[in-house]
Amino acid sequence: MTTALIDMKTVARDHRGLRVALAGELDFHTAARVEPRLAELAGFGHRNMVLDLSGISFCDSSGIELFLRLHQRCHGAGTRLLLCGAPPLLVKSMRVLGVDRGLPLSVT
C-alpha cells in the first residue's frame, strides 16, 4: 500500500500577499493534512492569497471541497483567494461542478 504525498510551501510573502504552492496528490487524506495550515495562513489578514496548483498531479472532490472551504475562510478574513496554475483536468472538473463560478481561478 502506498501513501499519497502532498507538499506545501510558502513561495512568497510580501506587501501584495501570500503565495503558496501545492504539489502532489490532493485527495481525502492529503487534503486533511494541509487544510489546518492553509486555514491558519488564510487567517493572517493578507490582502491576497494565491494558491499555485501547477504541481498537483491528482485532485479528487476532497481537494475541490478544500478550495471551497479555504475560499470561505479567506473571504471571512478579508483576504482574496486566487487559484492559479491548475492542471487542465482539475479546471475541467471544477467547471463541470460549477465551482469555478464561485472561486477565482486563473487558467495559465
Side-chain angles (χ1 to χ4, degrees):
M1 181 174 157
T2 61
T3 302
L5 299 175
I6 189 81
D7 182 45
M8 183 180 96
K9 65 180 177 179
T10 301
V11 177
R13 185 180 296 194
D14 58 27
H15 68 281
R16 293 174 299 194
L18 177 68
R19 185 176 188 93
V20 177
L22 290 178
E25 298 181 6
L26 194 54
D27 61 16
F28 177 78
H29 299 288
T30 59
R33 278 192 257 158
V34 297
E35 185 169 9
R37 182 66 178 137
L38 287 171
E40 180 184 355
L41 290 170
F44 280 164
H46 296 286
R47 184 170 48 178
N48 297 299
M49 182 174 180
V50 177
L51 199 55
D52 182 347
L53 305 175
S54 60
I56 294 294
S57 58
F58 173 81
C59 182
D60 68 8
S61 61
S62 299
I64 294 173
E65 289 173 1
L66 167 65
F67 302 146
L68 291 169
R69 287 190 300 274
L70 184 60
H71 175 67
Q72 287 296 100
R73 183 173 285 275
C74 283
H75 182 72
T79 299
R80 181 174 167 249
L81 175 67
L82 176 64
L83 305 178
C84 73
L89 188 55
L90 176 55
V91 172
K92 183 177 181 179
S93 297
M94 292 176 74
R95 286 189 173 144
V96 167
L97 294 170
V99 173
D100 63 318
R101 285 175 274 184
L103 283 173
L105 179 63
S106 172
V107 180
T108 54

